[in-house]
Amino acid sequence: MYFNKLRFLFLVLLGMLSMTGYAQQLVGTVFDADSGERLPYVNIKLDGGKIVTCDGEGNFSISEKSNAYRFIYVGYKPQTIRPANNSQRLIVKMQPQVGELTETVVTGRKKHYRRKDNPAVALMRKVIARKDSNSLKGLPYYQFDKYSRTQFAFNEVTDKVFQEGHFKRMPFLKDCVEVCDETGKLILTVSDEEIVERETYSRNPEKHDVRQLAKDTRGVSTLLYTGEILTSVLQDCFTDVDIYKDKVRLLQHPFDSPLSSSSGISFYRYFIADTLDVNGIRAIQVDFTPNNAQDFGFSGSLYIAADSSYQVVRVDIGVPPQSSANFVDNMRIIQSFRQLPSGEHVLEETNMVVELSLVDFLQKFMVKRVTRYSDYAFEPEEEKKDFSWNHYRQQPEEGRRVDTFLAGLGKMKLFKPLLWIGKAFVENYLETSSSPDKPSKVDIGPVSSMLSFNNIEGFRMRASAQTTANLNPHLFLRGYVAYGFRDRKVKGMGEITWSFNKKKYLPREFPVHNLTFTYTNDIQAPTDKFLTMDKDNTFTSFKWTKVRHMMYFQRFQLLYDREWENNLRMTLQFRHETDTPTGDLRYEKLNGEVLKKMRTTDFTIGLAYRPGTKWVETKQHRRSLGHDYPVYSISHTTGIKGFLGGQYNYNLTEITLERRFWLQSWGKIDAQVKAGIQWNKVPFPLLITPAANLSYFMSRNTFSLIDNMEFLNDRYASLMLSWDINGKILNRIPLIRRLKWREYIGLNVLYGDLTSKNNPFLQRNAASNRLFVFPAQSHAMTNKPYIEAVIGLHNIFRFFHIEYVRRLTYTEGLPERRKWGIRGKLELAF
């Protein structure tokens, strides 16, 4: 049924194209003559040497006239067809090639492939050996301008969509539809962004700089504050392709380049397919494909200059249809190179087209990215002062269709209320104004924290709000009021922030330079500080254990937060806090005295460095794009007894190192090492509790089966290892590989120690008036570490991740249900 629908849409599209002047196109489909399967990305050579490539389903549409059409595909016999002049539909059946390798004939991809004495492999070794001299990295200085245009569009838009689909009430959209030149399909662009950047490199002194000259964003991304996420994610997923690098980052994965010095020859299979003319240069066409089509790798063709330079003159690559990449139906990347009059070999243009579908019953999408490189210079020169979009755009009116689309939406009666509801769902905040002329000065939310529950408050309601830069770009207010129906107490938080940098919407926008004062009167559990989301989020209320040890707290906090463009961040914090135990939590001294409250006053200094990290803003959080970059952080907190009523002296130091390691086709390993020490003799609320996650939802860098306050230490070291194998094993199992599941294993280790000075169980501390009696479920760790193992399946139905966690140590006396657990989350990932 699925393929029948595709064929129907294709036929409807052809009918529409024929009415708009495309009646003379030659169209058809290429099949395997033996199996009847469609062959994707078949190259079709026309008279004059031009190459046309089929899409991922073997379909082609050719408007250029040619006396003959030569079909070339890896592992199949080349086939030449001379159709009649009035031929409108071709069915091409290609025969698999089972012969020996020659210089111009492709042999079987899977049968009898050998690297030894393979002329294609011998050629690629020479290309790889010369790649540094053929790329810009070998030059002492270079500069160029880069124009990129990224479109996000509905794909395969037809008349039927406007007559029966969700666009039925929007007939104006017909004027916004355009033909995608690369696929021949009709698309409706909803977001369009153009960026011009100037990239400069010098070797002595070494400096690499990319400076944005201009940016023009149009479409739906301008309607939402979080619309920048769309454009940022598109830029992060569909990045520049440098074929000369060992790794090409695409779809947030590092793909092995076919020119990789370390893995190209071992990862790919190469075949010499043809010798032809490419823009006046005699070139050898080398087709390639991964050893395993399910791995994250490219397939396609490289066109190598047939001379001693071994330069790449053209690239035509894609992702195999069998690849385990999510949501990608088809991908095609075409790059063209040219030689400057001065002799340098440079990249001229990259065209990337990616066809996407989330699920079969939803509208399909397309991402189209065009990048053009110009104004190359190899000597420092005077800065160009004049800027003109027309110098970079091929057409001055590029992007105007999306303006028509946006204007049409704005005229719809229900558009504004629907947009307001959509913003609340996507951004988790309600705007108090939906008018573009009067943007929201106050946002209400987060919506997901309005309703929650816990064992002390019972059902909890919370109303929150924050001001935006539309009220003042430097001064920001934020706060909430909450009420628990069981304890019948009102709580709240109020915060005022002064941003030394002018902000577009919120004070946490990169780079931060803020001074913030916060007053909070609320309730929390000791483990709440480890949550990556709001502690009042509805989903975090669902816990696998009863949390009865909680505390009311009253906190005054002054925070200076400074961040630099290189992602170095410094924080200076003053905090005064009064804690009142509640539920089963008691502050009882060893001599039997019970304290109703505990007061602390402390100062904290912290440094964090995240080189290379890119950020996207939401109304609730600031998130990093991926975790490919390392994180280094260190902090020290000093408590002062007697200052503003503080009852204890204490010093706490913590250090964190995080790093991701890519293992080529074997996925990635995320590692975190963390250590800390409490230097002073302190009661247990000031000891170190492990980063425990008590909810059923997965959370990065936390322990899934440690209970609230189960271990109390004054020094610790932890190791978090998670290996996302990316389907490397499951993709080799018949039937299962079609599900595109991805296996995952992890290991969480904690080594902790409670020194004698802080151990209330030792007789010598019995008379201490500084230590407290430990809660019933709390104890010190012995010489053995706490270990929990994780086995998971990710990418179930493309969205769902589920993990089985098993506790391997400290299991004595625990019921069986406490020794293991199931955790899950929803996540979109390519």
Side-chain angles (χ1 to χ4, degrees):
M1 179 64 70
Y2 175 74
F3 289 104
N4 290 336
K5 288 181 179 180
L6 285 178
R7 283 194 288 268
F8 174 75
L9 289 173
F10 185 70
L11 291 174
V12 171
L13 177 58
L14 290 176
M16 295 179 67
L17 290 177
S18 65
M19 292 186 292
T20 55
Y22 288 86
Q24 298 304 314
Q25 287 188 338
L26 180 71
V27 298
T29 309
V30 184
F31 296 89
D32 182 303
D34 292 343
S35 67
E37 294 182 355
R38 295 179 177 226
L39 298 180
Y41 306 113
V42 175
N43 286 326
I44 308 171
K45 181 180 177 183
L46 283 61
D47 293 343
K50 180 173 181 178
I51 301 293
V52 177
T53 305
C54 298
D55 64 17
E57 298 167 11
N59 300 314
F60 59 86
S61 176
I62 306 172
S63 57
E64 293 86 349
K65 292 182 179 180
S66 179
N67 293 323
Y69 300 86
R70 183 171 175 80
F71 292 77
I72 306 166
Y73 193 58
V74 176
Y76 290 79
K77 295 178 180 179
Q79 186 172 344
T80 301
I81 294 178
R82 294 179 174 84
N85 291 334
N86 61 351
S87 176
Q88 291 297 306
R89 180 81 187 171
L90 289 179
I91 299 298
V92 181
K93 297 182 179 181
M94 300 188 70
Q95 295 286 344
Q97 175 74 39
V98 196
E100 294 295 327
L101 275 170
T102 68
E103 290 188 359
T104 59
V105 178
V106 178
T107 64
R109 285 178 292 175
K110 297 182 180 179
K111 297 182 179 180
H112 311 302
Y113 180 83
R114 294 193 310 166
R115 294 183 179 87
K116 186 177 180 181
D117 299 325
N118 185 333
V121 173
L123 173 62
M124 290 306 301
R125 291 188 190 278
K126 295 177 181 178
V127 175
I128 293 172
R130 293 291 304 273
K131 70 175 187 176
D132 286 348
S133 60
N134 286 328
S135 67
L136 293 179
K137 68 168 59 176
L139 300 175
Y141 177 91
Y142 63 80
Q143 182 184 89
F144 59 83
D145 289 354
K146 180 179 70 175
Y147 164 85
S148 62
R149 181 188 181 193
T150 304
Q151 295 172 265
F152 183 70
F154 291 118
N155 194 23
E156 298 184 3
V157 180
T158 66
D159 275 340
K160 184 179 180 180
V161 172
F162 294 111
Q163 294 168 3
E164 302 176 7
H166 10 281
F167 302 136
K168 184 177 180 180
R169 299 181 182 274
M170 296 180 279
F172 67 89
L173 294 181
K174 291 184 178 181
D175 297 329
C176 307
V177 173
E178 56 188 313
V179 178
C180 176
D181 296 333
E182 290 77 11
T183 65
K185 299 177 181 179
L186 295 180
I187 61 173
L188 174 63
T189 302
V190 297
S191 178
D192 197 329
E193 181 172 81
E194 297 172 281
I195 298 177
V196 178
E197 295 174 313
R198 179 163 295 156
E199 183 169 340
T200 305
Y201 170 80
S202 63
R203 184 186 300 165
N204 190 18
E206 187 167 1
K207 182 181 179 181
H208 186 213
D209 178 62
V210 179
R211 183 162 58 92
Q212 188 177 107
L213 302 181
K215 181 178 179 180
D216 185 12
T217 303
R218 307 178 188 186
V220 295
S221 56
T222 62
L223 300 176
L224 304 171
Y225 172 74
T226 49
E228 188 173 338
I229 292 182
L230 173 63
T231 56
S232 298
V233 170
L234 290 177
Q235 291 171 18
D236 188 58
C237 294
F238 308 101
T239 55
D240 296 332
V241 174
D242 187 349
I243 204 73
Y244 283 108
K245 287 186 175 180
D246 284 352
K247 299 289 183 181
V248 176
R249 191 174 185 275
L250 204 61
L251 304 178
Q252 295 182 325
H253 286 269
F255 284 66
D256 287 275
S257 167
L259 298 184
S260 172
S261 302
S262 59
S263 59
I265 299 298
S266 60
F267 185 81
Y268 289 102
R269 298 183 178 187
Y270 303 95
F271 308 88
I272 294 178
D274 206 349
T275 303
L276 63 163
D277 183 86
V278 178
N279 297 327
I281 300 175
R282 194 66 176 168
I284 302 171
Q285 178 184 336
V286 178
D287 294 343
F288 63 93
T289 185
N291 286 314
N292 187 309
Q294 275 76 36
D295 288 340
F296 274 82
F298 297 112
S299 65
S301 302
L302 299 174
Y303 298 83
I304 311 299
D307 56 32
S308 60
S309 69
Y310 299 106
Q311 294 174 344
V312 177
V313 297
R314 176 184 165 92
V315 174
D316 191 344
I317 59 177
V319 175
Q322 303 93 335
S323 168
S324 58
N326 273 335
F327 315 119
V328 178
D329 293 335
N330 304 309
M331 173 183 282
R332 188 181 180 196
I333 303 168
I334 299 176
Q335 291 187 312
S336 58
F337 295 78
R338 66 187 175 103
Q339 192 162 13
L340 300 175
S342 54
E344 290 83 2
H345 184 68
V346 298
L347 179 60
E348 183 176 34
E349 184 171 285
T350 299
N351 284 280
M352 180 187 300
V353 176
V354 186
E355 295 182 271
L356 305 166
S357 60
L358 295 180
V359 290
D360 294 344
F361 56 85
L362 291 180
Q363 177 66 46
K364 295 186 176 184
F365 302 97
M366 173 182 285
V367 175
K368 181 179 178 182
R369 189 170 191 260
V370 178
T371 308
R372 292 190 284 269
Y373 303 83
S374 62
D375 300 310
Y376 281 93
F378 304 100
E379 296 285 345
E381 57 184 30
E382 186 177 345
E383 180 71 20
K384 304 172 186 140
K385 296 182 180 179
D386 297 332
F387 176 85
S388 171
W389 275 110
N390 293 337
H391 176 70
Y392 301 96
R393 290 170 171 161
Q394 288 189 338
Q395 299 176 1
E397 294 299 312
E398 281 184 321
R400 297 304 177 187
R401 285 182 186 266
V402 76
D403 295 340
T404 306
F405 163 74
L406 212 57
L409 287 180
K411 294 177 182 178
M412 296 179 62
K413 292 182 179 180
L414 295 178
F415 175 68
K416 289 184 178 180
L418 288 175
L419 177 63
W420 188 81
I421 295 173
K423 284 184 176 182
F425 177 76
V426 174
E427 300 178 334
N428 206 18
Y429 275 82
L430 300 172
E431 295 184 353
T432 54
S433 173
S434 59
S435 172
D437 300 328
K438 297 180 179 179
S440 178
K441 297 180 179 179
V442 178
D443 290 347
I444 299 172
V447 177
S448 62
S449 297
M450 290 183 174
L451 303 175
S452 61
F453 57 90
N454 60 64
N455 287 293
I456 302 300
E457 294 180 287
F459 185 61
R460 172 182 168 113
M461 294 188 66
R462 175 177 136 180
S464 315
Q466 64 184 14
T467 65
T468 74
N470 297 316
L471 181 66
N472 190 304
H474 293 280
L475 185 64
F476 298 86
L477 303 176
R478 187 169 71 97
Y480 65 79
V481 176
Y483 181 76
F485 285 83
R486 181 179 296 169
D487 67 352
R488 298 183 181 181
K489 290 187 177 183
V490 177
K491 300 92 177 174
M493 184 273 287
E495 181 177 279
I496 180 170
T497 297
W498 176 261
S499 173
F500 296 93
N501 300 329
K502 186 177 181 180
K503 298 299 181 180
K504 291 193 231 177
Y505 203 87
L506 290 174
R508 58 176 163 266
E509 294 164 0
F510 180 83
V512 167
H513 188 192
N514 299 339
L515 183 64
T516 302
F517 174 76
T518 307
Y519 170 75
T520 310
N521 187 351
D522 206 343
I523 187 173
Q524 70 175 8
T527 55
D528 284 345
K529 63 183 177 181
F530 301 115
L531 293 173
T532 56
M533 60 181 70
D534 195 312
K535 74 178 182 66
D536 292 333
N537 187 288
T538 304
F539 295 104
T540 62
S541 298
F542 297 92
K543 302 183 186 300
W544 55 266
T545 184
K546 286 188 177 181
V547 181
R548 294 285 307 168
H549 294 76
M550 301 183 72
M551 60 187 179
Y552 295 102
F553 67 96
Q554 187 181 58
R555 179 185 300 150
F556 299 86
Q557 178 178 291
L558 183 65
L559 173 67
Y560 175 74
D561 195 352
R562 177 70 189 273
E563 193 172 35
W564 287 267
E565 293 285 350
N566 63 353
N567 278 294
L568 176 65
R569 188 171 191 171
M570 179 186 69
T571 55
L572 300 174
Q573 175 186 280
F574 164 76
R575 180 180 59 183
H576 176 71
E577 184 170 319
T578 302
D579 297 336
T580 303
T582 186
D584 293 341
L585 185 64
R586 287 167 58 88
Y587 292 167
E588 181 182 354
K589 292 185 177 182
L590 297 184
N591 59 12
E593 180 185 355
V594 177
L595 298 183
K596 294 183 178 180
K597 298 179 184 295
M598 188 179 81
R599 291 186 179 89
T600 57
T601 303
D602 57 42
F603 295 87
T604 300
I605 180 170
L607 287 173
Y609 183 46
R610 309 175 64 123
T613 300
K614 298 179 181 178
W615 302 95
V616 292
E617 308 287 345
T618 72
K619 287 189 176 180
Q620 192 171 6
H621 299 287
R622 187 181 72 172
R623 302 188 182 277
S624 61
L625 278 173
H627 302 279
D628 286 347
Y629 304 102
V631 179
Y632 313 98
S633 66
I634 185 171
S635 66
H636 182 79
T637 298
T638 296
I640 304 176
K641 181 180 179 180
F643 183 56
L644 298 180
Q647 296 172 292
Y648 301 96
N649 290 318
Y650 52 91
N651 286 273
L652 172 64
T653 305
E654 290 187 292
I655 185 169
T656 304
L657 305 174
E658 293 183 33
R659 188 67 186 265
R660 170 169 288 178
F661 302 91
W662 286 95
L663 306 178
Q664 298 184 13
S665 62
W666 283 91
K668 59 182 179 288
I669 291 179
D670 287 328
Q672 186 206 61
V673 177
K674 193 172 183 179
I677 182 170
Q678 171 62 260
W679 302 91
N680 295 81
K681 186 173 186 176
V682 293
F684 76 80
L686 296 177
L687 293 176
I688 303 170
T689 57
N693 174 26
L694 305 182
S695 77
Y696 289 103
F697 295 91
M698 293 160 53
S699 181
R700 277 175 53 85
N701 297 324
T702 57
F703 294 94
S704 298
L705 295 177
I706 293 182
D707 205 349
N708 182 39
M709 300 183 68
E710 180 177 355
F711 299 118
L712 296 173
N713 306 302
D714 58 13
R715 58 192 64 196
Y716 78 97
S718 66
L719 172 66
M720 303 279 187
L721 288 176
S722 60
W723 183 11
D724 185 349
I725 307 177
N726 210 28
K728 184 71 173 181
I729 300 173
L730 296 178
N731 284 342
R732 283 155 174 77
I733 303 176
L735 299 180
I736 291 182
R737 65 186 179 192
R738 301 185 64 180
L739 300 174
K740 294 188 176 183
W741 288 353
R742 299 171 183 174
E743 58 280 86
Y744 172 98
I745 59 177
L747 190 70
N748 300 328
V749 181
L750 171 68
Y751 178 81
D753 182 35
L754 185 66
T755 57
S756 58
K757 67 176 180 291
N758 283 315
N759 192 337
F761 302 106
L762 297 180
Q763 183 63 34
R764 71 178 192 177
N765 290 326
S768 173
N769 64 353
R770 190 177 302 180
L771 302 185
F772 292 176
V773 176
F774 275 14
Q777 85 276 21
S778 301
H779 55 84
M781 299 183 70
T782 60
N783 292 328
K784 65 180 179 181
Y786 169 86
I787 304 174
E788 61 184 32
V790 184
I791 300 177
L793 279 178
H794 291 189
N795 206 45
I796 301 173
F797 305 119
R798 298 186 179 184
F799 299 96
F800 190 57
H801 300 235
I802 189 169
E803 295 179 353
Y804 170 81
V805 188
R806 185 76 186 185
R807 184 166 173 157
L808 303 182
T809 58
Y810 293 94
T811 59
E812 300 82 3
L814 287 179
E816 185 62 28
R817 62 181 179 83
R818 282 282 316 278
K819 298 177 183 178
W820 63 276
I822 302 294
R823 305 291 181 262
K825 68 175 178 178
L826 294 174
E827 185 177 71
L828 287 171
F830 283 101

